[in-house]
mmCIF file of all heavy atoms in Angstrom:
data_model
loop_
_atom_site.group_PDB
_atom_site.id
_atom_site.type_symbol
_atom_site.label_atom_id
_atom_site.label_comp_id
_atom_site.label_asym_id
_atom_site.label_seq_id
_atom_site.Cartn_x
_atom_site.Cartn_y
_atom_site.Cartn_z
ATOM 1 N N LEU A 1 1.671 14.233 -1.561
ATOM 2 C CA LEU A 1 2.637 14.330 -2.758
ATOM 3 C C LEU A 1 1.907 14.511 -4.042
ATOM 4 O O LEU A 1 2.340 15.204 -4.909
ATOM 5 C CB LEU A 1 3.588 13.186 -2.709
ATOM 6 C CG LEU A 1 4.687 13.152 -1.668
ATOM 7 C CD1 LEU A 1 5.383 11.806 -1.585
ATOM 8 C CD2 LEU A 1 5.747 14.238 -1.971
ATOM 9 N N ALA A 2 0.860 13.747 -4.157
ATOM 10 C CA ALA A 2 0.048 13.803 -5.476
ATOM 11 C C ALA A 2 -0.605 15.187 -5.592
ATOM 12 O O ALA A 2 -0.677 15.709 -6.730
ATOM 13 C CB ALA A 2 -1.026 12.766 -5.419
ATOM 14 N N ARG A 3 -0.969 15.884 -4.454
ATOM 15 C CA ARG A 3 -1.501 17.217 -4.502
ATOM 16 C C ARG A 3 -0.368 18.117 -5.067
ATOM 17 O O ARG A 3 -0.708 18.983 -6.004
ATOM 18 C CB ARG A 3 -1.933 17.657 -3.127
ATOM 19 C CG ARG A 3 -3.226 17.136 -2.675
ATOM 20 C CD ARG A 3 -3.670 17.682 -1.304
ATOM 21 N NE ARG A 3 -3.763 19.099 -1.302
ATOM 22 C CZ ARG A 3 -4.854 19.805 -1.559
ATOM 23 N NH1 ARG A 3 -5.937 19.215 -1.979
ATOM 24 N NH2 ARG A 3 -4.907 21.144 -1.485
ATOM 25 N N TYR A 4 0.747 18.078 -4.627
ATOM 26 C CA TYR A 4 1.874 18.892 -5.066
ATOM 27 C C TYR A 4 2.187 18.537 -6.520
ATOM 28 O O TYR A 4 2.394 19.555 -7.336
ATOM 29 C CB TYR A 4 3.156 18.618 -4.204
ATOM 30 C CG TYR A 4 2.996 18.937 -2.754
ATOM 31 C CD1 TYR A 4 3.760 18.223 -1.812
ATOM 32 C CD2 TYR A 4 2.073 19.821 -2.251
ATOM 33 C CE1 TYR A 4 3.630 18.487 -0.442
ATOM 34 C CE2 TYR A 4 1.958 20.115 -0.889
ATOM 35 C CZ TYR A 4 2.737 19.448 -0.032
ATOM 36 O OH TYR A 4 2.608 19.602 1.328
ATOM 37 N N ARG A 5 2.208 17.295 -6.903
ATOM 38 C CA ARG A 5 2.544 16.949 -8.224
ATOM 39 C C ARG A 5 1.408 17.565 -9.197
ATOM 40 O O ARG A 5 1.755 18.153 -10.249
ATOM 41 C CB ARG A 5 2.599 15.491 -8.390
ATOM 42 C CG ARG A 5 2.811 14.944 -9.854
ATOM 43 C CD ARG A 5 2.383 13.527 -9.915
ATOM 44 N NE ARG A 5 0.968 13.311 -9.641
ATOM 45 C CZ ARG A 5 0.327 12.193 -9.358
ATOM 46 N NH1 ARG A 5 1.134 11.099 -9.142
ATOM 47 N NH2 ARG A 5 -0.981 12.179 -9.043
ATOM 48 N N ASP A 6 0.181 17.410 -8.844
ATOM 49 C CA ASP A 6 -0.907 17.893 -9.681
ATOM 50 C C ASP A 6 -0.952 19.410 -9.809
ATOM 51 O O ASP A 6 -1.211 20.034 -10.839
ATOM 52 C CB ASP A 6 -2.213 17.427 -9.201
ATOM 53 C CG ASP A 6 -2.368 15.836 -9.304
ATOM 54 O OD1 ASP A 6 -1.548 15.220 -10.081
ATOM 55 O OD2 ASP A 6 -3.238 15.333 -8.641
ATOM 56 N N ALA A 7 -0.567 20.102 -8.636
ATOM 57 C CA ALA A 7 -0.556 21.500 -8.663
ATOM 58 C C ALA A 7 0.658 22.066 -9.418
ATOM 59 O O ALA A 7 0.532 23.134 -10.070
ATOM 60 C CB ALA A 7 -0.451 22.038 -7.219
ATOM 61 N N ALA A 8 1.748 21.393 -9.336
ATOM 62 C CA ALA A 8 3.000 21.868 -10.028
ATOM 63 C C ALA A 8 2.858 21.582 -11.532
ATOM 64 O O ALA A 8 3.266 22.465 -12.338
ATOM 65 C CB ALA A 8 4.264 21.236 -9.469
ATOM 66 N N GLY A 9 2.461 20.422 -11.975
ATOM 67 C CA GLY A 9 2.448 20.068 -13.307
ATOM 68 C C GLY A 9 3.811 19.589 -13.803
ATOM 69 O O GLY A 9 4.872 19.865 -13.233
ATOM 70 N N PRO A 10 3.825 18.821 -14.858
ATOM 71 C CA PRO A 10 5.159 18.181 -15.313
ATOM 72 C C PRO A 10 6.212 19.191 -15.710
ATOM 73 O O PRO A 10 7.431 18.993 -15.561
ATOM 74 C CB PRO A 10 4.751 17.393 -16.579
ATOM 75 C CG PRO A 10 3.388 17.945 -16.937
ATOM 76 C CD PRO A 10 2.726 18.463 -15.765
ATOM 77 N N THR A 11 5.800 20.364 -16.268
ATOM 78 C CA THR A 11 6.850 21.379 -16.617
ATOM 79 C C THR A 11 7.491 22.061 -15.445
ATOM 80 O O THR A 11 8.510 22.568 -15.602
ATOM 81 C CB THR A 11 6.171 22.413 -17.551
ATOM 82 O OG1 THR A 11 5.092 23.053 -16.796
ATOM 83 C CG2 THR A 11 5.599 21.878 -18.833
ATOM 84 N N ASP A 12 6.838 22.014 -14.311
ATOM 85 C CA ASP A 12 7.398 22.593 -13.090
ATOM 86 C C ASP A 12 8.241 21.550 -12.286
ATOM 87 O O ASP A 12 8.815 21.902 -11.238
ATOM 88 C CB ASP A 12 6.304 23.110 -12.199
ATOM 89 C CG ASP A 12 5.582 24.235 -12.883
ATOM 90 O OD1 ASP A 12 6.205 25.165 -13.447
ATOM 91 O OD2 ASP A 12 4.279 24.268 -12.757
ATOM 92 N N ASP A 13 8.271 20.295 -12.719
ATOM 93 C CA ASP A 13 9.011 19.264 -12.112
ATOM 94 C C ASP A 13 9.890 18.542 -13.210
ATOM 95 O O ASP A 13 9.703 17.387 -13.409
ATOM 96 C CB ASP A 13 8.008 18.289 -11.378
ATOM 97 C CG ASP A 13 8.742 17.219 -10.537
ATOM 98 O OD1 ASP A 13 9.944 17.483 -10.143
ATOM 99 O OD2 ASP A 13 8.142 16.062 -10.393
ATOM 100 N N PRO A 14 10.780 19.277 -13.768
ATOM 101 C CA PRO A 14 11.515 18.660 -14.911
ATOM 102 C C PRO A 14 12.372 17.467 -14.596
ATOM 103 O O PRO A 14 12.583 16.595 -15.401
ATOM 104 C CB PRO A 14 12.385 19.831 -15.421
ATOM 105 C CG PRO A 14 12.560 20.726 -14.219
ATOM 106 C CD PRO A 14 11.155 20.680 -13.499
ATOM 107 N N GLU A 15 12.836 17.399 -13.316
ATOM 108 C CA GLU A 15 13.632 16.265 -12.923
ATOM 109 C C GLU A 15 12.826 15.091 -12.437
ATOM 110 O O GLU A 15 13.306 14.030 -12.058
ATOM 111 C CB GLU A 15 14.618 16.668 -11.931
ATOM 112 C CG GLU A 15 15.647 17.727 -12.416
ATOM 113 C CD GLU A 15 16.654 18.207 -11.347
ATOM 114 O OE1 GLU A 15 16.540 17.660 -10.188
ATOM 115 O OE2 GLU A 15 17.406 19.107 -11.619
ATOM 116 N N GLY A 16 11.534 15.339 -12.352
ATOM 117 C CA GLY A 16 10.589 14.246 -11.996
ATOM 118 C C GLY A 16 10.745 13.808 -10.533
ATOM 119 O O GLY A 16 10.379 12.765 -10.121
ATOM 120 N N VAL A 17 11.081 14.786 -9.731
ATOM 121 C CA VAL A 17 11.349 14.526 -8.199
ATOM 122 C C VAL A 17 9.946 14.224 -7.532
ATOM 123 O O VAL A 17 9.875 13.118 -6.885
ATOM 124 C CB VAL A 17 11.894 15.700 -7.519
ATOM 125 C CG1 VAL A 17 11.974 15.459 -5.990
ATOM 126 C CG2 VAL A 17 13.381 16.054 -8.011
ATOM 127 N N LEU A 18 8.903 15.018 -7.848
ATOM 128 C CA LEU A 18 7.673 14.696 -7.286
ATOM 129 C C LEU A 18 7.011 13.351 -7.800
ATOM 130 O O LEU A 18 6.451 12.604 -7.077
ATOM 131 C CB LEU A 18 6.693 15.881 -7.538
ATOM 132 C CG LEU A 18 6.937 17.102 -6.592
ATOM 133 C CD1 LEU A 18 6.045 18.315 -7.097
ATOM 134 C CD2 LEU A 18 6.651 16.863 -5.194
ATOM 135 N N ALA A 19 7.161 13.237 -9.177
ATOM 136 C CA ALA A 19 6.565 12.077 -9.793
ATOM 137 C C ALA A 19 7.167 10.819 -9.239
ATOM 138 O O ALA A 19 6.492 9.823 -8.928
ATOM 139 C CB ALA A 19 6.788 12.159 -11.284
ATOM 140 N N THR A 20 8.516 10.835 -9.063
ATOM 141 C CA THR A 20 9.206 9.671 -8.512
ATOM 142 C C THR A 20 8.840 9.418 -7.067
ATOM 143 O O THR A 20 8.578 8.215 -6.627
ATOM 144 C CB THR A 20 10.706 9.808 -8.632
ATOM 145 O OG1 THR A 20 11.074 10.052 -9.983
ATOM 146 C CG2 THR A 20 11.425 8.720 -8.057
ATOM 147 N N ALA A 21 8.725 10.492 -6.290
ATOM 148 C CA ALA A 21 8.315 10.336 -4.893
ATOM 149 C C ALA A 21 6.860 9.756 -4.724
ATOM 150 O O ALA A 21 6.643 8.856 -3.896
ATOM 151 C CB ALA A 21 8.418 11.667 -4.228
ATOM 152 N N CYS A 22 6.011 10.226 -5.650
ATOM 153 C CA CYS A 22 4.595 9.697 -5.642
ATOM 154 C C CYS A 22 4.663 8.137 -5.898
ATOM 155 O O CYS A 22 3.998 7.394 -5.255
ATOM 156 C CB CYS A 22 3.732 10.419 -6.646
ATOM 157 S SG CYS A 22 3.274 12.050 -6.177
ATOM 158 N N GLU A 23 5.443 7.803 -6.901
ATOM 159 C CA GLU A 23 5.412 6.384 -7.414
ATOM 160 C C GLU A 23 6.063 5.541 -6.330
ATOM 161 O O GLU A 23 5.511 4.444 -6.016
ATOM 162 C CB GLU A 23 6.249 6.256 -8.684
ATOM 163 C CG GLU A 23 6.278 4.840 -9.184
ATOM 164 C CD GLU A 23 7.056 4.795 -10.529
ATOM 165 O OE1 GLU A 23 7.437 5.753 -11.075
ATOM 166 O OE2 GLU A 23 7.269 3.603 -11.000
ATOM 167 N N GLN A 24 7.097 5.933 -5.688
ATOM 168 C CA GLN A 24 7.790 5.130 -4.662
ATOM 169 C C GLN A 24 6.816 5.004 -3.462
ATOM 170 O O GLN A 24 6.629 3.845 -2.989
ATOM 171 C CB GLN A 24 9.049 5.828 -4.144
ATOM 172 C CG GLN A 24 10.206 5.846 -5.159
ATOM 173 C CD GLN A 24 11.422 6.604 -4.707
ATOM 174 O OE1 GLN A 24 11.272 7.424 -3.812
ATOM 175 N NE2 GLN A 24 12.549 6.246 -5.231
ATOM 176 N N THR A 25 6.143 6.103 -3.010
ATOM 177 C CA THR A 25 5.398 5.981 -1.860
ATOM 178 C C THR A 25 4.124 5.164 -2.119
ATOM 179 O O THR A 25 3.742 4.352 -1.203
ATOM 180 C CB THR A 25 4.965 7.452 -1.428
ATOM 181 O OG1 THR A 25 6.162 8.234 -1.357
ATOM 182 C CG2 THR A 25 4.297 7.419 -0.048
ATOM 183 N N GLU A 26 3.552 5.359 -3.189
ATOM 184 C CA GLU A 26 2.303 4.533 -3.576
ATOM 185 C C GLU A 26 2.605 3.083 -3.646
ATOM 186 O O GLU A 26 1.824 2.234 -3.302
ATOM 187 C CB GLU A 26 1.708 5.128 -4.873
ATOM 188 C CG GLU A 26 1.035 6.470 -4.760
ATOM 189 C CD GLU A 26 0.724 7.094 -6.103
ATOM 190 O OE1 GLU A 26 1.028 6.459 -7.120
ATOM 191 O OE2 GLU A 26 0.116 8.176 -6.146
ATOM 192 N N THR A 27 3.852 2.771 -4.228
ATOM 193 C CA THR A 27 4.163 1.293 -4.261
ATOM 194 C C THR A 27 4.387 0.698 -2.866
ATOM 195 O O THR A 27 3.999 -0.406 -2.673
ATOM 196 C CB THR A 27 5.561 1.251 -5.065
ATOM 197 O OG1 THR A 27 5.346 1.721 -6.389
ATOM 198 C CG2 THR A 27 6.040 -0.230 -5.172
ATOM 199 N N ILE A 28 5.029 1.460 -1.974
ATOM 200 C CA ILE A 28 5.224 0.923 -0.670
ATOM 201 C C ILE A 28 3.863 0.807 0.031
ATOM 202 O O ILE A 28 3.624 -0.238 0.731
ATOM 203 C CB ILE A 28 6.160 1.817 0.164
ATOM 204 C CG1 ILE A 28 7.557 1.832 -0.426
ATOM 205 C CG2 ILE A 28 6.235 1.471 1.583
ATOM 206 C CD1 ILE A 28 8.517 2.775 0.113
ATOM 207 N N VAL A 29 2.975 1.771 -0.124
ATOM 208 C CA VAL A 29 1.661 1.672 0.464
ATOM 209 C C VAL A 29 0.902 0.414 0.061
ATOM 210 O O VAL A 29 0.286 -0.306 0.778
ATOM 211 C CB VAL A 29 0.876 2.956 0.209
ATOM 212 C CG1 VAL A 29 -0.580 2.752 0.565
ATOM 213 C CG2 VAL A 29 1.448 4.153 0.930
#
């Protein structure tokens, strides 16, 4: 997920779907 987030960039993820997914998954890990 972090690879996708870094490849897309914040402007390509305006709703923060990838950023939120990364945060949730990393917290559970």
Side-chain angles (χ1 to χ4, degrees):
L1 285 167
R3 282 178 62 86
Y4 300 151
R5 178 199 61 199
D6 296 342
T11 58
D12 299 316
D13 185 26
E15 297 179 3
V17 174
L18 284 172
T20 300
C22 286
E23 183 179 351
Q24 289 176 339
T25 311
E26 290 168 357
T27 298
I28 295 173
V29 168

